[in-house]
Amino acid sequence: MRRFKKEYFTNVSFLKELSIQTRKSSKLKKWLLLTTRLLLLAAMIIAFTQPFFQAKDSNNVTNEMYILLDNSFSMQAKGQKGELLRRAIEDLLEHTPENQQFSLLTNSETFWNTDIKSIQKELQNLKYSATPFNLESLMAKVKSRKSPFNKDIVVITDAVGLEQKQLKSIDKDFNTYFIVPKAEQKNNVAVDSVFIAQTLDNFYEIGVKLTAYGEDSDESPIALYNNNKLVAKTQIKFDAASKVMNFTIPKADFNGYVAVEDNGISYDNTLYFNISKPEKLNVVSIGDVEKSEFLSKIYTETEFNYGNFPLASLDYNLLEKQDAIVLNEVKDIPQALQTTLKSFVEKGGNLIVIPSSEASVATMNTFLANFGNIKFANPVTADKLITKIAFDHPLYSSVFEKKIDNFQFPDTKVSFPVSSVNPTILGYEDQSAFLTSLPGSVSSVYVFAAPINKSNSNFQNSPLIVPTFYNMAQVAQKTGVTAITIGENQPFLLDANLSKDEIVEVKSNAASGEKFIPVQQILNNKVKLTFNDYPQEAGNYGIFKQDELLRNISFNYNRTEGNITPANEDMLSDFKTISNIETVFDTLQTDRTNNEIWKWFVLLTLLFLVTELFIQKFVK
């Protein structure tokens, strides 16, 4: 029952341990090779199936792209890399993919279904537009392009003048991005307007209104030029947001401009204007001689060709040649006279209506309906003081230096209550109107609410009588400053006798300047001109009949872009705001490109193959 125990010699026991260790290493190597080969095979199979992650915005791969580029004058402001518009154009040219189809809309130009190479030259030569940036208008153009695809909208604007209601024009389905370049210099000085502040015997005192935008405004030089020759120059220091500088010039033809120098945008630094040598104005009053006698003291021979005619002896042919007509307490207005006066106003003449206390209210209302929405009620007999003066009305713009309270106010005994939507020029103490106007495109109709003969009113003895009637007879386009704003489409009346086949042409005074033929309508001895959106460049121009200069005329850009402080950027919180156009295309590419991961499994296959080789070589 004895048990035997094996006992190895010393040199043999070492060989046993070596054999055990070799078997364990071989087993581990086999497991590593099996795992590596299984992973290699799995990676290869998955790679051939070409798996991918779907893009976030895969439904909009075929979207149409529209780029709305603001080229208004506020984009003249300088940012970190130069003028905002020029930098935006460089960004477009540099980072827009060559194969990207899009439509580009600016304030003045439109390029449908194009690419960046096709419009490269047009973009580089793109000029600033006198038309302010109107997002609502541009969006209307975009929506007019009917398409089954959705739209990508990229709006590049400095947001100057942008309003919340304009943003509502963007459909919620549109994929909209805003790029808002920022100006570093917010200060700007603009020449707003020029007007005749005072008329002297041989001189005009003109006022130049300037506005300073921003926080700090330095002293700026301001200069006045006539026919490109320097007339006067001075320095202006702003102690308020706006300031008026006065200059005295001879009472003669003036065809020039006023210019200011500043570090802001430059388009509003110059305002072109002209003043024609004063001509005698033709004024006729229709009514009793006694009641019209006061008018002859206002319309003197030095400045007016004045005449009074009773209705019975009135020559209707004279009316067409007048600049202003006073209908003074005429009891009955014949239908022929009503028709003639309506035509007279439409052709640019000013009409002054003084009612008669004996006139029929129905007759007066029928007559006034030819000119606008104004009605008389039955006359009221009561003493009423005229206490309200519209100091800001154009009729009194150059009359009062300041508002006055201690005025000897006139009164009336019989008056007609007036119903009108137009502002009151002179008013009674009960807030009703004594004098109102119906402004037209080229003329005005002034209507009194009461007779002003001495038996009914002491208005003829009031200091107001002279400036009121003097200014009502003035035709701004003949006696005032002419400075037309481009794009406002304000008609202009020109004294000229043209045949049916003759036309007038507008030419720039600059050697290489613009010229165009305006829309024109012949009105007896006058021509009504309409300029629409022409000219495209501000400056002094001449109106020519063939080679004959008929009249100088000046055009200026709209001054709405002077304040280069952008709108509240919180308005854009509902939209994607991006720094540049490159980011837009990168974002669209990322959002609309499927993430294909099969390439990673090909790499894993190669990696496992290399791992197997290393295991075979180095693992014993």
Side-chain angles (χ1 to χ4, degrees):
M1 299 297 292
R2 180 186 294 177
R3 291 186 179 181
F4 298 95
K5 183 180 180 182
K6 292 182 181 180
E7 193 71 30
Y8 293 98
F9 292 100
T10 307
N11 56 343
V12 177
S13 64
F14 173 77
L15 293 175
K16 178 184 176 184
E17 292 177 5
L18 180 64
S19 175
I20 293 171
Q21 184 180 1
T22 302
R23 285 198 300 269
K24 288 182 178 180
S25 299
S26 177
K27 194 173 183 180
L28 177 63
K29 182 177 181 179
K30 289 178 181 178
W31 279 109
L32 289 174
L33 287 174
L34 177 61
T35 303
T36 305
R37 288 171 181 172
L38 288 174
L39 290 173
L40 185 152
L41 185 61
M44 186 181 299
I45 293 172
I46 294 174
F48 275 106
T49 62
Q50 296 185 353
F52 63 90
F53 290 118
Q54 190 172 5
K56 301 176 186 176
D57 199 14
S58 59
N59 295 328
N60 294 326
V61 174
T62 55
N63 272 15
E64 292 181 331
M65 173 168 278
Y66 295 86
I67 299 176
L68 311 184
L69 177 61
D70 180 2
N71 65 328
S72 61
F73 280 111
S74 63
M75 293 285 281
Q76 274 186 345
K78 293 180 176 60
Q80 291 183 348
K81 298 180 180 179
E83 293 185 7
L84 300 183
L85 177 62
R86 296 303 160 203
R87 183 57 197 149
I89 291 174
E90 290 174 8
D91 196 22
L92 282 170
L93 294 174
E94 185 176 349
H95 295 115
T96 304
E98 292 184 1
N99 61 346
Q100 176 68 51
Q101 290 287 314
F102 61 91
S103 296
L104 178 71
L105 288 77
T106 72
N107 305 17
S108 52
E109 305 286 343
T110 302
F111 305 94
W112 298 110
N113 296 329
T114 184
D115 56 70
I116 198 64
K117 272 194 170 182
S118 301
I119 61 170
Q120 179 177 353
K121 186 175 291 185
E122 286 81 359
L123 276 177
Q124 291 172 337
N125 297 328
L126 183 64
K127 296 181 179 180
Y128 291 99
S129 170
T131 305
F133 181 71
N134 190 325
L135 181 60
E136 194 172 0
S137 174
L138 294 179
M139 287 305 305
K141 292 182 180 181
V142 171
K143 293 175 183 178
S144 67
R145 307 285 289 186
K146 301 300 181 182
S147 170
F149 305 112
N150 207 341
K151 295 176 172 60
D152 294 324
I153 309 293
V154 181
V155 183
I156 306 175
T157 176
D158 58 0
V160 171
L162 189 64
E163 299 176 356
Q164 186 69 47
K165 64 179 182 179
Q166 296 182 20
L167 297 175
K168 294 180 181 178
S169 63
I170 303 176
D171 284 3
K172 293 181 180 180
D173 294 335
F174 292 173
N175 184 35
T176 307
Y177 297 89
F178 273 87
I179 299 175
V180 185
K182 296 180 180 179
E184 291 188 328
Q185 172 63 265
K186 299 292 194 305
N187 294 338
N188 182 49
V189 176
V191 183
D192 280 343
S193 59
V194 175
F195 57 92
I196 297 177
Q198 190 175 2
T199 303
L200 306 174
D201 290 339
N202 298 313
F203 296 94
Y204 286 126
E205 185 179 288
I206 63 170
V208 180
K209 184 181 178 182
L210 302 103
T211 301
Y213 301 99
E215 297 179 358
D216 300 317
S217 298
D218 299 327
E219 259 193 12
S220 301
I222 178 172
L224 182 66
Y225 295 84
N226 185 17
N227 293 320
N228 295 322
K229 294 181 180 180
L230 182 64
V231 174
K233 189 172 185 178
T234 185
Q235 294 283 122
I236 179 170
K237 175 65 177 178
F238 286 92
D239 46 17
S242 62
K243 194 167 185 177
V244 175
M245 295 293 293
N246 292 325
F247 296 92
T248 301
I249 61 174
K251 201 172 184 181
D253 284 343
F254 189 96
N255 186 40
Y257 60 93
V258 59
V260 66
E261 296 179 13
D262 72 332
N263 295 322
I265 56 179
S266 59
Y267 94 97
D268 55 5
N269 288 358
T270 304
L271 191 138
Y272 299 91
F273 69 98
N274 70 77
I275 303 173
S276 296
K277 185 178 180 179
E279 302 175 5
K280 285 188 176 183
L281 296 176
N282 299 318
V283 179
V284 160
S285 63
I286 305 172
D288 294 341
V289 176
E290 294 180 0
K291 292 182 179 180
S292 303
E293 187 178 354
F294 73 99
L295 293 173
S296 62
K297 299 176 182 178
I298 299 172
Y299 302 131
T300 58
E301 293 183 0
T302 55
E303 297 183 68
F304 299 91
N305 294 318
Y306 169 74
N308 178 77
F309 298 92
L311 183 60
S313 59
L314 177 64
D315 182 359
Y316 284 25
N317 294 324
L318 286 175
L319 300 182
E320 294 182 350
K321 301 176 183 179
Q322 306 305 309
D323 296 303
I325 296 175
V326 182
L327 193 63
N328 188 15
E329 300 189 35
V330 176
K331 181 180 178 180
D332 296 313
I333 308 174
Q335 184 60 47
L337 180 59
Q338 293 189 34
T339 303
T340 303
L341 291 178
K342 180 181 179 181
S343 174
F344 169 76
V345 171
E346 290 174 349
K347 294 177 181 178
N350 288 345
L351 176 63
I352 304 165
V353 179
I354 306 172
S356 169
S357 57
E358 300 176 0
S360 166
V361 172
T363 302
M364 291 297 298
N365 287 339
T366 302
F367 169 64
L368 292 174
N370 293 315
F371 310 107
N373 187 12
I374 184 171
K375 290 183 178 180
F376 281 173
N378 292 325
V380 175
T381 303
D383 289 342
K384 297 172 68 174
L385 284 177
I386 303 166
T387 59
K388 308 295 182 182
I389 303 174
F391 294 98
D392 296 330
H393 194 276
L395 196 67
Y396 297 128
S397 59
S398 60
V399 175
F400 300 96
E401 293 183 358
K402 60 181 181 179
K403 294 184 179 181
I404 53 176
D405 298 322
N406 56 342
F407 194 77
Q408 186 177 355
F409 297 110
D411 62 0
T412 61
K413 296 177 182 178
V414 177
S415 60
F416 294 85
V418 175
S419 172
S420 174
V421 295
N422 296 289
T424 299
I425 302 175
L426 293 175
Y428 290 110
E429 57 186 344
D430 62 357
Q431 307 302 321
S432 60
F434 169 69
L435 173 62
T436 187
S437 67
L438 303 171
S441 59
V442 291
S443 61
S444 294
V445 177
Y446 298 95
V447 180
F448 285 89
I452 59 173
N453 59 73
K454 291 184 178 180
S455 61
N456 187 64
S457 172
N458 61 350
F459 185 70
Q460 293 187 22
N461 299 326
S462 169
L464 284 173
I465 187 73
V466 174
T468 299
F469 276 88
Y470 182 91
N471 288 336
M472 285 193 297
Q474 300 296 310
V475 180
Q477 295 175 349
K478 291 185 70 173
T479 60
V481 172
T482 303
I484 297 175
T485 301
I486 298 172
E488 285 192 353
N489 210 14
Q490 182 71 21
F492 184 84
L493 285 178
L494 174 71
D495 289 335
N497 290 310
L498 299 180
S499 63
K500 291 184 179 180
D501 297 329
E502 286 184 312
I503 60 172
V504 297
E505 185 178 19
V506 180
K507 300 179 184 178
S508 173
N509 291 353
S512 58
E514 191 177 352
K515 62 180 180 179
F516 63 95
I517 298 175
V519 177
Q520 44 202 281
Q521 179 184 3
I522 299 176
L523 305 172
N524 295 331
N525 60 337
K526 297 179 181 180
V527 181
K528 181 181 178 181
L529 303 179
T530 307
F531 305 106
N532 296 325
D533 292 329
Y534 290 97
Q536 295 182 349
E537 294 186 6
N540 288 319
Y541 289 73
I543 303 176
F544 289 85
K545 184 177 73 173
Q546 296 181 352
D547 294 329
E548 178 188 357
L549 175 63
L550 300 179
R551 173 72 188 268
N552 288 315
I553 190 170
S554 301
F555 293 93
N556 294 279
Y557 300 122
N558 196 306
R559 305 280 139 166
T560 56
E561 301 288 305
N563 187 359
I564 54 180
T565 302
N568 186 3
E569 293 185 12
D570 292 341
M571 290 193 307
L572 303 178
S573 58
D574 295 336
F575 301 93
K576 302 169 188 174
T577 304
I578 291 184
S579 58
N580 53 57
I581 196 69
E582 182 180 15
T583 309
V584 173
F585 288 111
D586 288 346
T587 303
L588 293 176
Q589 181 72 16
T590 302
D591 291 346
R592 295 178 186 175
T593 302
N594 293 329
N595 189 7
E596 298 179 348
I597 59 175
W598 63 269
K599 299 175 184 178
W600 293 102
F601 286 96
V602 171
L603 293 175
L604 285 174
T605 302
L606 296 175
L607 178 62
F608 290 136
L609 182 61
V610 173
T611 303
E612 181 184 351
L613 294 176
F614 276 103
I615 292 173
Q616 294 278 19
K617 186 173 183 179
F618 295 106
V619 178
K620 300 298 182 182

